[in-house]
């Protein structure tokens, strides 16, 4: 007998507010630059690759249900302006993946998240979809626990 398909609950804590989120992109560290081809001049004319030693964090996109008049939207818009003026004021965010019983399966702690983009989508009365807010965060670093 097959196990029933379940949907995991994902929450975010950001700007002092805990919210349920519909989807998010998992944090990822990758090299900042692609490998550069190099020929060493040893007479073999073989191409070697110099790999960038620096790794950086990719942006994390968080999507949640939110209307324009949601207090969290106003908090996020104020934070976006603050981060634009001074990126050192960026806050950390915690994304938690929960099991069906509410226990936390995985935690992503995103350090110093500067808001790169904040978009509240239009509601669609024809399909009765919820208004969604998309928040793109650029963390300085992250930790998985």
């Amino acid at each position: 007998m097959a196990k029933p398909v379940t949907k995991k609950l994902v929450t975010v804590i950001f700007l002092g507010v805990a919210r349920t989120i519909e989807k998010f992109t998992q944090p990822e560290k990758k090299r900042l630059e692609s490998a550069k081809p190099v020929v060493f001049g040893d007479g073999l004319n073989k191409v070697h690759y110099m790999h960038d030693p620096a790794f950086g964090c990719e942006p994390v996109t968080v999507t949640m249900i939110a209307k324009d008049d949601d207090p969290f939207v106003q908090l996020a818009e104020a934070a976006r302006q603050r981060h634009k003026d001074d990126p050192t004021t960026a806050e950390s965010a915690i994304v938690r993946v929960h099991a069906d019983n509410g226990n936390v399966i995985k935690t992503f702690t995103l350090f110093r998240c500067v808001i790169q983009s904040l978009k509240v989508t239009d509601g669609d009365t024809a399909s009765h979809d919820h208004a969604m807010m998309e928040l793109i965060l650029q963390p300085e670093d992250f930790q998985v626990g």
Side-chain angles (χ1 to χ4, degrees), residues 40 76 78 80 118 129 132-133 135 138:
F40 288 131
R80 180 179 50 84
L118 172 71
D129 287 339
M132 303 297 283
M133 181 173 109
L135 192 60
Q138 176 62 64

Side-chain angles (χ1 to χ4, degrees), residues 1-6:
M1 183 174 196
K3 288 179 88 176
V5 176
T6 60

Side-chain angles (χ1 to χ4, degrees), residues 42-105:
D42 56 6
L44 299 175
N45 293 332
K46 183 176 178 185
V47 177
H48 298 272
Y49 291 92
M50 299 298 290
H51 298 281
D52 187 351
F55 276 74
C57 295
E58 287 291 294
V60 174
T61 302
V62 177
T63 305
M64 63 188 76
I65 297 171
K67 297 179 182 174
D68 287 331
D69 60 351
D70 187 324
F72 183 73
V73 174
Q74 281 77 35
L75 279 174
E77 286 175 343
R80 180 179 50 84
Q81 183 64 41
R82 187 174 66 250
H83 298 167
K84 184 185 104 170
D85 296 339
D86 183 6
T88 63
T89 64
E91 299 86 354
S92 294
I94 299 171
V95 177
R96 291 186 177 136
V97 181
H98 304 264
D100 289 340
N101 62 4
N103 291 341
V104 177
I105 300 170

